[in-house]
Amino acid sequence: MLYHIYETQRSLMEPFTDFAQAAAKLYSNPLSPFSQSPLAQRMSAGYDLLYRLGKDYEKPAFDIHSVDVDGVGVAVHERIEVDKPFCELRRFKRFSDDPATLVNLKTQPVVLIVAPLSGHYATLLRDTVRTMLKDHKVYITDWKNARLVPLADGEFHLDDYVNYVQEFIRHLQGIYGNCHVISVCQPTVPVLAAVSLMASRGETTPLTMTMMGGPIDARKSPTSVNNLATNRSYEWFENNVIYRVPDNFPGAGRRVYPGFLQYTGFVAMNPDRHASSHYDYFKDLIKGDDTSAEAHRKFYDEYNAVLDMDADYYLETIETVFQEYKLVHGTWDVRSPDGKIERVRPQDITATALFTVEGELDDISGSGQTEAAHDLCSGIVRKEQRHLEAKGAGHYGIFSGRRWRDVVYPQVRAFIHEHEKPQKNAVPAVIETPDDNPPRQVAAKVAVPKKAPAPKVVAKPAVKTPSAPAVATRWVKPAVTGRGKPAGAAASAEAAEAPAAKGKTAAVTVTASATPRTRRGTARKA
């Protein structure tokens, strides 16, 4: 019933918010006679604030159309790679007409970012995605608003979340051979479960797992979020925060945890901070500080946009993660898509490197909660485990803002590139030459010469020699200590989905090692 009351109130307020928006423009437009009155700026600021407090916030767009890669502008095209009933796997595909940049893009690692399903949209990680796109091929889970999912699509459980993550990992492995996984906040738990189950079955697991600010062990340094979950029973949550979607949405009748309740909880954690922020916005409008006012708008356009979560998923997360601690106790069973019950065993993970990140001032996931993953993943050797506590960073600071870009990201990038391996073979890369008229297509410098010198066939040993992987490993390491990405990478366009042609670097090594033999052969002939 509460959901229906909320929607009725929002519908009644809509004409007043529209009027407030119009009045704000009326008092601020220099062509309007109302803008000439002594209190025009204050009136405009007041109406603008009223409009923003009462308006309905829709899902924002990622709005990432280009990124800078080593000083070159690269176009970004956002598209849906996999469409599931409750989630879309989005890819941010990069394009460039600069051959050297294409070579660089082609060799970069593939990263799956698992966004949280905890009230906000995946666009909350916009800064994370934009920064990662400079050095990685990026995919992200974009969770859908449950009130927009028809009842005919079924329910959504925590087990389904785990199964979705596994499916997305397999999808990327099928294209590239393997990938890296980054989970932010809530998904650290289901991502760890997904990789654990894959390891227990003997499947190929991701090269690395990076877990940032998540409640792996919510018993450590409990926050207000943890206390709320532990002080209330499962039945209390089911009876007091679960409601059915009203009839004016596609998901009418679905049991959900409404987004407006989650938003109320967010604001209740720091009410004074939000009140002062809105007052500062009011003063910025009066002063004419458009830069600060626009920064406020961008933040709250994202912060105020919330989504509904399916009731089964929400309640099972409360019970599994915050009340019974099933992951750390080793009692968590997950149902696979074919109905098989499987026990989550993080200790079975052996081939995936682990990196955990926490914020010193995190008031959502307390200190030590994410780091607890290292004790659970006892099968991973210590040299493949790493932990970072970002000094002065809160919960959002570890994946967005200056501290993310300057402190956290460089270490995440270095960790990923340190464990990167050659990607799966695909079709040879092709570059379109824009200067030709009409345009023609040529191979991207990976074709074997028509006539190679008989004494030394360079390309053949580089591809078939067993030592090639070792050469690739040595080739990757300098990039970690320098710019965090392979230096001197050979070959081709990301748009062609072809692997990095590391034969060029390997060929140099083989030729160098063959030179003494050539000299000895020459000496014998002499």
Side-chain angles (χ1 to χ4, degrees):
M1 189 64 184
L2 180 63
Y3 206 143
H4 291 76
I5 296 174
Y6 170 80
E7 280 300 313
T8 302
Q9 176 265 339
R10 190 186 63 80
S11 299
L12 292 174
M13 284 292 297
E14 190 169 1
F16 295 98
T17 56
D18 291 342
F19 171 78
Q21 182 184 30
K25 294 179 179 179
L26 189 66
Y27 279 98
S28 61
N29 192 321
L31 300 179
S32 170
F34 291 91
S35 64
Q36 307 305 318
S37 61
L39 299 177
Q41 219 160 358
R42 287 182 174 272
M43 294 292 290
S44 176
Y47 277 121
D48 189 281
L49 181 58
L50 181 61
Y51 162 70
R52 295 195 58 81
L53 290 174
K55 68 173 293 217
D56 186 33
Y57 290 85
E58 299 292 338
K59 177 186 176 182
F62 278 99
D63 200 28
I64 302 175
H65 304 294
S66 65
V67 293
D68 184 272
V69 179
D70 294 336
V72 177
V74 174
V76 177
H77 172 64
E78 177 187 334
R79 73 186 190 193
I80 299 174
E81 191 84 0
V82 179
D83 191 2
K84 304 288 290 181
F86 288 86
C87 185
E88 296 171 344
L89 178 63
R90 289 187 178 269
R91 179 184 181 182
F92 296 86
K93 188 172 177 64
R94 301 166 300 173
F95 296 87
S96 176
D97 57 3
D98 179 61
T101 302
L102 289 172
V103 170
N104 186 16
L105 299 180
K106 187 67 200 93
T107 60
Q108 292 178 346
V110 182
V111 175
L112 170 63
I113 300 177
V114 185
L117 178 55
S118 56
H120 283 115
Y121 289 97
T123 51
L124 193 68
L125 305 186
R126 183 184 295 102
D127 196 24
T128 313
V129 173
R130 183 183 289 110
T131 307
M132 295 290 297
L133 278 171
K134 297 178 181 179
D135 306 286
H136 310 83
K137 303 172 186 176
V138 178
Y139 294 75
I140 192 171
T141 58
D142 190 9
W143 301 99
K144 297 181 181 179
N145 193 335
R147 72 181 183 182
L148 303 179
V149 182
L151 279 173
D153 287 333
E155 300 170 341
F156 185 72
H157 297 262
L158 183 58
D159 293 353
D160 297 316
Y161 193 121
V162 175
N163 294 329
Y164 273 26
V165 172
Q166 293 181 81
E167 182 176 344
F168 295 151
I169 292 174
R170 295 189 194 104
H171 176 78
L172 298 185
Q173 289 175 338
I175 299 175
Y176 304 101
N178 215 323
C179 66
H180 305 262
V181 178
I182 295 178
S183 54
V184 180
C185 190
Q186 167 271 326
T188 55
V189 175
V191 165
L192 182 55
V195 177
S196 300
L197 292 171
M198 295 178 72
S200 299
R201 300 189 204 105
E203 295 185 58
T204 301
T205 57
L207 298 172
T208 65
M209 288 188 300
T210 301
M211 300 186 169
M212 306 171 65
I216 298 295
D217 188 351
R219 300 173 301 176
K220 298 187 175 183
S221 306
T223 64
S224 57
V225 176
N226 307 136
N227 293 332
L228 174 64
T230 55
N231 293 336
R232 304 289 185 179
S233 66
Y234 179 94
E235 290 74 18
W236 183 90
F237 284 100
E238 187 173 25
N239 295 330
N240 291 276
V241 300
I242 302 300
Y243 298 93
R244 293 195 179 273
V245 177
D247 295 337
N248 55 322
F249 294 103
R254 178 178 296 279
R255 295 172 66 248
V256 298
Y257 173 59
F260 67 84
L261 286 181
Q262 184 75 330
Y263 171 75
T264 303
F266 289 147
V267 174
M269 292 178 63
N270 298 286
D272 295 339
R273 186 185 306 172
H274 290 286
S276 61
S277 177
H278 284 85
Y279 182 61
D280 290 341
Y281 173 67
F282 175 77
K283 292 191 295 184
D284 290 335
L285 291 175
I286 295 176
K287 292 184 297 184
D289 187 350
D290 295 335
T291 302
S292 298
E294 185 60 26
H296 174 95
R297 292 190 193 101
K298 286 184 177 181
F299 175 80
Y300 279 99
D301 282 347
E302 191 74 56
Y303 191 81
N304 293 347
V306 290
L307 54 75
D308 297 349
M309 291 174 274
D310 189 88
D312 294 299
Y313 159 78
Y314 174 77
L315 294 173
E316 289 166 8
T317 300
I318 293 291
E319 181 182 45
T320 300
V321 179
F322 297 104
Q323 292 185 345
E324 297 187 3
Y325 313 106
K326 291 183 179 180
L327 179 61
V328 292
H329 288 156
T331 59
W332 188 8
D333 293 325
V334 173
R335 184 183 298 273
S336 65
D338 59 5
K340 183 179 178 181
I341 302 297
E342 299 173 294
R343 177 61 55 89
V344 176
R345 294 174 49 84
Q347 62 268 32
D348 291 344
I349 303 174
T350 58
T352 299
L354 175 63
F355 187 24
T356 56
V357 180
E358 294 180 347
E360 180 187 23
L361 307 178
D362 196 332
D363 58 352
I364 294 180
S365 294
S367 176
Q369 291 189 11
T370 312
E371 189 179 8
H374 293 281
D375 294 331
L376 297 177
C377 299
S378 56
I380 303 175
V381 296
R382 274 295 167 187
K383 67 177 183 178
E384 298 297 325
Q385 300 185 37
R386 196 170 304 168
H387 177 70
L388 168 67
E389 183 181 72
K391 300 298 182 182
H395 185 71
Y396 293 98
I398 59 177
F399 62 84
S400 180
R402 180 178 56 83
R403 286 188 176 86
W404 150 250
R405 293 188 292 268
D406 297 343
V407 178
V408 178
Y409 174 67
Q411 297 203 38
V412 172
R413 177 184 60 194
F415 183 75
I416 290 175
H417 281 273
E418 178 184 343
H419 295 88
E420 172 66 352
K421 294 182 180 179
Q423 297 172 16
K424 192 171 95 172
N425 290 332
V427 295
V430 172
I431 297 178
E432 191 173 299
T433 55
D435 294 333
D436 293 343
N437 188 17
R440 62 187 178 86
Q441 291 187 336
V442 296
K445 298 183 180 180
V446 292
V448 179
K450 292 183 179 179
K451 290 185 179 181
K456 46 183 179 181
V457 182
V458 176
K460 186 175 180 180
V463 175
K464 296 185 178 181
T465 303
S467 62
V471 173
T473 302
R474 291 195 296 272
W475 175 72
V476 169
K477 282 184 179 178
V480 175
T481 58
R483 303 178 62 175
K485 56 186 174 187
S492 94
E494 182 185 0
E497 297 300 350
K502 295 185 180 177
K504 187 173 182 181
T505 303
V508 174
T509 304
V510 173
T511 303
S513 62
T515 302
R517 292 198 296 272
T518 304
R519 287 201 296 267
R520 287 196 296 271
T522 304
R524 285 197 296 271
K525 289 180 182 178

